[in-house]
Amino acid sequence: MSFPLPTYQGQTPDPHAATKDAVTVWKTGKIPLVEIFYSLQGEGGRVGQATVFVRLAGCSLACSFCDTDFRVKRALSIEEIITEVASFGCQWVCLTGGEPTLFDLQPLCDALHAAGFFLQVETNGMHPRPEWRLDHVTVSPKETEGGHIKPWYFSHATEFKYVVDDDADILRAKNSLFPGIIYLQPNALNPAATPLCIAAVQAHPQRFRLSLQTHKLLEIP
Ligand code: SF4
């Protein structure tokens, strides 16, 4: 079944329009995607590992620092996704967005696991999906989270990753209820953010680690 993918005007994603289009695709039985691509994980604890990224369309937030186009570009079945992912010959798959947990991807996760893949998810942590079987859960609480991280993530996440602009973001990370390793990732658009992160990591070496967007430094996807 083919879906008439929307034609967008302009460059700035409108989260409401993108999510509405993604939901429309979802209701046809297809999975709304932006793209599937093969690269290295550039951030967090899996940095440097070859990974196939499956980017879901739609997002529940509108962060000021957002650098991601989360508009619907493709509509694929689970089988079509697995065929494309398998073509790269890599074991790790990262479900990212936008916000991938807007949709119940359990059938996709089950199918990917059955095909032998390991799964990472990158989420803002605001939508509980505890039934998914995942191998690496990265929660990146956002500026507009309003304290609405779902409790499940505090006990099940592999890592938390905070994008840092200023001292308030460092304080948010310090006050996180997540007991494990927290990555501080400077907003790439703000040169003042990196020294703040370095100072915080040095002050709290057991709690914080620095995460750089190494894929951007390397100019790879
Ligand atoms: S949650 Fe991520 S994709 Fe969504 S607006 Fe914020 S930075 Fe962009």
Side-chain angles (χ1 to χ4, degrees), residues 15 55 58-70 97-99 123-124 140 142-144 163:
R55 188 183 303 288
C59 190
S60 52
L61 299 180
C63 305
S64 61
F65 50 77
C66 184
D67 59 359
T68 306
D69 184 352
F70 44 75
E99 178 47 56
T123 174
N124 61 30
S140 186
K142 296 299 191 292
E143 59 181 10
T144 44
V163 176

Side-chain angles (χ1 to χ4, degrees), residues 146-207:
H148 296 307
I149 302 293
K150 297 299 179 194
W152 181 84
Y153 290 104
F154 295 123
S155 51
H156 288 78
T158 311
E159 62 194 9
F160 268 45
K161 183 178 65 184
Y162 283 80
V163 176
V164 171
D165 252 315
D166 52 28
D167 286 324
D169 296 320
I170 302 281
L171 189 61
R172 277 198 315 137
K174 273 185 191 165
N175 291 336
S176 172
L177 298 177
F178 181 61
I181 295 295
I182 290 180
Y183 288 87
L184 302 180
Q185 185 165 291
N187 177 359
L189 301 175
N190 178 4
T194 302
L196 278 181
C197 291
I198 292 172
V201 172
Q202 288 178 321
H204 304 277
Q206 311 302 332
R207 180 84 164 129

